[in-house]
Amino acid sequence: MKKYIQHLNSWTYSLNAKCIVYYPENLTHLKEILHKLKKEKQKVIVMGHGCSHGDLFINKNGSVINTKNLDKIKNFDKKNNCLTVEPGVNVAQVNQFLYNKNFILNSIPSSFQITIGGAIANNVFGKDSHKNGYFEKNINKIIYIDSNLKIRSISRKKNKLFFEKFVGSLGLLGIIIEVELNVSELKSPYIYSKAYYLENFD
């Protein structure tokens, strides 16, 4: 089972550490890695693209699971406006896929390289969050692996209280393996704007 010794940096380069990093190729590979680490009693944290400003994915005395290869768009249900993806797919990939079908995600962050798993772990916000809420509003269902290596499913309708705790928990409550997103119809590729010009600070 291949592992890499890498220096990981926070997005701002203010923090760094040498870490053991694994790159699972699929769910089976991920479960094999997690079984190995659990047997070795290793501490584990998950990493997406690495856009976090702090030390969220820097695990100096443990192992890091990088989800960059778990990046499949699995299903699009146009009838119900639902998109199912793996956690390593990034916002740019999702939006490009949706844009061609006249749909879009709401409350997306400023960096399109942020993964869907990372967006959920941090419950990120976007320029439209004052109207559409934080990223959690996009989520219908999350399938994840818990600390006992059991596959669990949570949603707004099922396990609502734990669902609300899970979103924004920085990956500490489980490792996301699949997400069902609620997407919105893109009525136009244009943005209506109005400019205001001020002569002075007063």
Side-chain angles (χ1 to χ4, degrees):
M1 193 171 298
K2 199 162 186 179
K3 62 183 179 182
Y4 299 83
I5 309 298
Q6 295 180 322
H7 253 101
L8 297 182
N9 297 288
S10 65
W11 186 244
T12 56
Y13 284 85
S14 59
L15 298 162
N16 70 85
K18 188 180 288 186
C19 303
I20 299 171
V21 186
Y22 293 87
Y23 294 87
E25 298 288 338
N26 50 49
L27 177 57
T28 302
H29 190 203
L30 172 61
K31 288 167 75 175
E32 288 173 358
I33 293 168
L34 292 175
H35 276 287
K36 173 183 179 292
L37 297 179
K38 188 175 179 67
K39 188 176 180 180
E40 295 173 356
K41 297 183 179 179
Q42 282 278 331
K43 293 180 179 178
V44 180
I45 196 66
V46 188
M47 175 182 178
H49 182 262
C51 297
S52 298
H53 290 281
D55 61 350
L56 307 186
F57 53 82
I58 294 176
N59 195 8
K60 189 174 182 180
N61 298 312
S63 297
V64 177
I65 304 291
N66 188 306
T67 61
K68 71 177 246 178
N69 295 323
L70 305 176
D71 62 348
K72 307 293 186 299
I73 294 175
K74 301 184 79 172
N75 185 55
F76 178 57
D77 182 350
K78 188 174 182 179
K79 182 179 178 181
N80 295 303
N81 294 3
C82 293
L83 180 70
T84 302
V85 301
E86 291 182 330
V89 66
N90 63 38
V91 172
Q93 291 170 281
V94 170
N95 266 350
Q96 187 59 58
F97 177 87
L98 291 174
Y99 185 81
N100 293 331
K101 294 172 170 48
N102 293 317
F103 284 87
I104 195 168
L105 272 178
N106 292 319
S107 306
I108 56 175
S110 55
S111 172
F112 278 16
Q113 296 308 309
I114 291 175
T115 62
I116 296 301
I120 294 170
N122 292 275
N123 197 16
V124 298
F125 62 91
K127 300 297 187 289
D128 61 339
S129 287
H130 64 287
K131 179 181 178 183
N132 296 314
Y134 280 42
F135 195 83
E136 65 180 293
K137 297 293 184 183
N138 292 315
I139 309 164
N140 287 336
K141 183 171 68 174
I142 299 170
I143 299 176
Y144 70 99
I145 299 177
D146 68 11
S147 59
N148 295 314
L149 307 187
K150 301 292 185 184
I151 294 178
R152 308 287 187 189
S153 175
I154 52 174
S155 67
R156 294 188 180 282
K157 297 178 181 178
K158 179 184 176 184
N159 314 107
K160 183 177 183 294
L161 184 60
F162 187 73
F163 176 88
E164 292 173 349
K165 289 180 180 179
F166 192 96
V167 177
S169 65
L170 308 178
L172 298 175
L173 297 180
I175 298 177
I176 299 170
I177 56 175
E178 189 175 290
V179 183
E180 183 182 275
L181 297 167
N182 177 47
V183 299
S184 300
E185 185 179 354
L186 181 64
K187 297 178 181 178
S188 169
Y190 302 103
I191 296 174
Y192 176 77
S193 67
K194 187 174 183 179
Y196 295 88
Y197 298 93
L198 307 177
E199 295 182 357
N200 54 56
F201 285 112
D202 292 333

